[in-house]
Amino acid sequence: MAKERTLSIIKPDATRRNLTGKINAKFEEQGLRIVAQKRLQLSEVQAGKFYEVHKERPFYGELVSFMISGPVVVQVLEGDDAVAANRKIMGATNPANAEAGTIRKEFAESIEANSVHGSDSLENAKNEISFFFSETEIVG
Ligand code: IDP
Ligand code: MG
């Protein structure tokens, strides 16, 4: 197994309900290490740019509004196969389809307000990490 890094975002629905610690415990208990973390209020421009791949999807405007509706916690997670490992810990996009014990099953409010973002490939992880962090802010 290869050691990887992936980008995670704790979304506004979760920060609003004070769930940062409970979500971080899921990562740590399942072998991922939080090697960078900061709490931010995203601007509309930043959120729009981050989710640019979804620009043509009908929910794009609402997704951007949701992502700026409160603070987020952006973080870099490190571990064996971290990209796939994190997707497993997160659970399916729609909490109704997420497996028991996953973050989205336990905490998500809806398909949109689903508590966490996680990179979906190693290449996207690299781009998403550099969107938020410089190399010196990541300490493994
Ligand atoms: P992912 O977060 O599981 O990778 P994506 O398909 O990349 O899911 O969608 C990005 C985000 O857009 C989701 O996490 C969710 O917040 C939102 N989203 C996805 N599908 C829908 C939808 O059908 N309605 C509203 N929001 C959606
Ligand atoms: Mg995605």
Side-chain angles (χ1 to χ4, degrees):
M1 278 193 286
K3 194 170 172 182
E4 294 176 353
R5 286 176 174 176
T6 190
L7 185 88
S8 167
I9 305 178
I10 300 178
K11 295 183 178 181
D13 67 285
T15 60
R16 191 175 293 124
R17 288 174 290 148
N18 215 18
L19 292 170
T20 300
K22 284 190 174 147
I23 290 172
N24 280 349
K26 293 269 191 199
F27 298 138
E28 294 184 341
E29 282 161 6
Q30 290 170 82
L32 293 177
R33 184 172 292 271
I34 301 161
V35 295
Q37 176 166 262
K38 56 191 172 191
R39 185 172 169 109
L40 300 172
Q41 172 63 54
L42 296 179
S43 70
E44 190 168 0
V45 170
Q46 250 179 326
K49 193 154 181 250
F50 183 79
Y51 276 119
E52 207 154 37
V53 292
H54 297 307
K55 207 161 57 190
E56 304 307 326
R57 294 174 81 176
F59 57 80
Y60 175 73
E62 277 185 17
L63 176 60
V64 170
S65 298
F66 163 61
M67 290 300 288
I68 65 172
S69 68
V72 296
V73 176
V74 296
Q75 44 194 192
V76 180
L77 307 178
E78 184 179 84
D80 290 335
D81 291 332
V83 173
N86 182 40
R87 296 291 305 193
K88 198 164 184 341
I89 295 166
M90 290 163 60
T93 307
N94 185 345
N97 303 327
E99 274 182 45
T102 61
I103 291 169
R104 284 167 164 172
K105 186 65 173 187
E106 284 191 21
F107 302 124
E109 294 181 319
S110 67
I111 190 169
E112 176 182 80
N114 59 6
S115 302
V116 279
H117 165 85
S119 309
D120 62 5
S121 70
L122 196 53
E123 192 192 342
N124 285 341
K126 291 201 167 102
N127 293 333
E128 291 179 359
I129 288 169
S130 62
F131 187 89
F132 286 113
F133 293 96
S134 64
E135 240 345 280
T136 55
E137 292 178 305
I138 306 169
V139 184

